[in-house]
Amino acid sequence: MRSILVLMVGWLVSLALVDRVPAAEFLSGQTVTIAADETWEGDVYIFAQSVKVEGTINGDLVVYAQRLHVSGTIEGGVIAAGQEILLEGTYGRSCRIACQAARVEASTRMKRDLVAASYSLEVDKGAAIDGDLIYAGFQAMLKGTIEDDVWAAVNRAEVFGKVGRELSITTDSKNQQGPPPSQYWQDMQLVDIPTVSPGLTIHQDATIGGKLTYQSSSEVTIDDGAKVTGPIEWIQPEKPVQQDPQDKIAYFWGQLKRYATLLAMGILMVVCCPTTCGGTVDQIVQRPILSLLAGILAVPLSIIALGVVAGLILAIPMAFGWLTLDGLAVAGAFIAAFGTVLYVGSLAYFFIFGAAAVTSITLGRIVFSDHPIVSRGRLMLSLAFGLVFYVVLTCVPYLRVGVFVAAILFAFGGLFVWMMVGLFVSQSEKQAPATKVS
């Protein structure tokens, strides 16, 4: 009962407050103007080619337009995107703008931050930003007052005014070109793009109230009369390291030795197990998806089997000891240890060399022929040819790990499928009735 009463009271209070909650307004058209004698309650969303705001908005202003000129009072913040933006007046919260060219006039008063992204940003003398300035673009000319920090990443910048705390900026003085010709910036009616000197320049009467941190290939220009209260830190970009020709030769020889090693180990496997190599490659070529899925199962099974084989070293002697056959316990221990070493060596060999050899033979067979390869000579020829592709692919930085993993999965999966197919085929042949030949 108490819960129902609480819900009813909350519902009545919400009804009483409905008329007091300002609604958002949506405006659109070719040209949208909010006159100086107009006051809008709540947020205003405008989509137009040209927008001019001279009145008062007791909320946020969100604009998407080619031109935006704000000279009134915005109690909230501004979020705007367009070609050119001219800001005047008073702003209660942060302004976030993205455009081609932006200008903050001398009469502007921002009580919070300015976050901007544009080709050019100019803050006139007399403009005041009570928070931070965060800017990314080609150039910046700062003549006004920024009470807190300035964080910027530009090609060039000039500081004439005041930065209350830290100035942290990244510039690039390599590009010595000025602003683009006017024909590339047509229909600029509100903002004139200034000419900014390359690099970072702190002019006379400029004040930096905290630390100056700049990253640039050239040293900052600080005119006489400029004041930097905190320390100055110059971060020079690292020069690209040119690779020594000797390192390239050493890398080439290293890959050549790697190719020769894999080729020798692959030839050894082909000589010793030609049927296994050919059958595994056949399964990968004929059943690639099944081989890949089987590899996902076979790799962990082979590792589990390693633990089982290693456990035989203890299990066999214990079994003979339990049967009081002490003479066989020692011999069983030696046999189990030899089997474990043999299995571990074979597994390591297949992981390191066998998977690469099987993958290379598969690549060579795909290129040379679709028919099964049974002779040792053709297996070696496919190995030598496909191994070139394997070594080249494993030299690619972001592709190396993927090639290694794919080779291991396909090799183990193809071997597992070949063994299973051979097992079932052999059993079916044994169970098939003999055909009487007259």
Side-chain angles (χ1 to χ4, degrees):
M1 184 68 180
R2 182 179 301 176
S3 301
I4 296 176
L5 291 176
V6 171
L7 291 175
M8 293 180 63
V9 171
W11 179 64
L12 292 174
V13 171
S14 63
L15 288 178
L17 295 177
V18 167
D19 294 337
R20 300 184 183 181
V21 178
E25 299 289 344
F26 294 85
L27 305 176
S28 62
Q30 188 75 13
T31 302
V32 175
T33 302
I34 297 179
D37 56 350
E38 294 182 22
T39 299
W40 293 71
E41 299 294 337
D43 302 335
V44 178
Y45 296 80
I46 304 177
F47 304 90
Q49 182 175 1
S50 179
V51 177
K52 189 172 184 179
V53 179
E54 300 175 342
T56 301
I57 297 177
N58 293 323
D60 296 333
L61 174 63
V62 180
V63 177
Y64 180 76
Q66 183 178 4
R67 300 182 188 88
L68 172 62
H69 182 191
V70 182
S71 58
T73 300
I74 311 297
E75 295 295 339
V78 174
I79 300 176
Q83 181 180 6
E84 50 181 339
I85 296 177
L86 178 61
L87 298 180
E88 299 180 82
T90 304
Y91 305 87
R93 291 200 294 268
S94 298
C95 297
R96 298 173 176 85
I97 59 174
C99 58
Q100 194 175 79
R103 181 185 178 95
V104 181
E105 288 284 353
S107 59
T108 303
R109 295 294 179 271
M110 291 187 186
K111 298 181 181 179
R112 295 290 294 275
D113 305 330
L114 173 61
V115 182
S118 64
Y119 174 85
S120 176
L121 172 66
E122 183 178 4
V123 180
D124 285 344
K125 183 178 181 180
I129 301 174
D130 293 342
D132 299 330
L133 170 61
I134 303 174
Y135 174 65
F138 179 78
Q139 64 179 27
M141 182 173 287
L142 308 179
K143 300 179 181 178
T145 299
I146 296 96
E147 293 295 340
D148 291 337
D149 301 324
V150 173
W151 306 85
V154 295
N155 181 275
R156 57 192 64 193
E158 295 186 46
V159 180
F160 295 85
K162 173 187 175 183
V163 177
R165 297 195 300 188
E166 181 179 354
L167 171 61
S168 179
I169 190 169
T170 299
T171 61
D172 183 9
S173 60
K174 294 181 180 179
N175 188 353
Q176 302 293 328
Q177 300 296 326
S182 58
Q183 60 264 25
Y184 296 134
W185 306 92
Q186 298 179 0
D187 300 329
M188 301 295 288
Q189 301 178 8
L190 298 177
V191 178
D192 294 329
I193 298 178
T195 301
V196 180
S197 302
L200 174 62
T201 304
I202 300 178
H203 290 275
Q204 185 180 5
D205 298 331
T207 302
I208 310 297
K211 180 181 179 181
L212 169 61
T213 303
Y214 69 99
Q215 180 174 348
S216 176
S217 56
S218 61
E219 192 173 1
V220 61
T221 301
I222 302 178
D223 294 344
D224 295 337
K227 182 179 180 182
V228 180
T229 304
I232 300 176
E233 181 181 0
W234 179 18
I235 303 175
Q236 300 185 48
E238 297 181 358
K239 296 181 179 179
V241 179
Q242 295 183 354
Q243 192 174 8
D244 190 358
Q246 296 295 331
D247 296 337
K248 296 181 180 179
I249 296 175
Y251 179 79
F252 173 77
W253 280 110
Q255 297 304 320
L256 188 60
K257 292 177 182 178
R258 178 164 163 258
Y259 174 84
T261 302
L262 292 175
L263 180 62
M265 293 295 102
I267 291 175
L268 177 63
M269 188 173 68
V270 169
V271 171
C272 296
C273 309
T275 304
T276 303
C277 294
T280 302
V281 171
D282 289 341
Q283 297 303 322
I284 297 175
V285 174
Q286 296 173 7
R287 302 177 177 89
I289 298 178
L290 180 60
S291 299
L292 179 63
L293 297 177
I296 298 175
L297 177 64
V299 171
L301 285 179
S302 63
I303 298 175
I304 294 174
L306 177 61
V308 175
V309 174
L312 294 177
I313 300 178
L314 299 176
I316 291 178
M318 290 177 62
F320 283 117
W322 180 67
L323 296 174
T324 66
L325 300 175
D326 299 334
L328 296 177
V330 177
F334 277 111
I335 294 173
F338 177 76
T340 303
V341 172
L342 183 63
Y343 180 78
V344 171
S346 302
L347 189 64
Y349 178 89
F350 201 75
F351 263 108
I352 300 174
F353 303 109
V358 170
T359 304
S360 301
I361 295 173
T362 304
L363 294 174
R365 171 175 167 181
I366 293 174
V367 173
F368 282 131
S369 174
D370 292 334
H371 301 288
I373 301 175
V374 293
S375 64
R376 289 186 175 90
R378 296 196 64 182
L379 284 172
M380 293 179 186
L381 180 62
S382 299
L383 170 66
F385 186 80
L387 193 57
V388 176
F389 293 94
Y390 180 83
V391 172
V392 171
L393 290 175
T394 53
C395 290
V396 181
Y398 297 102
L399 196 61
R400 181 183 300 119
V401 177
V403 173
F404 285 147
V405 173
I408 291 174
L409 293 179
F410 275 111
F412 273 88
L415 179 61
F416 181 79
V417 173
W418 176 74
M419 294 173 62
M420 292 297 102
V421 171
L423 178 64
F424 288 115
V425 170
S426 299
Q427 290 182 352
S428 62
E429 290 177 352
K430 292 178 181 179
Q431 296 175 359
T435 303
K436 184 177 180 180
V437 181
S438 58

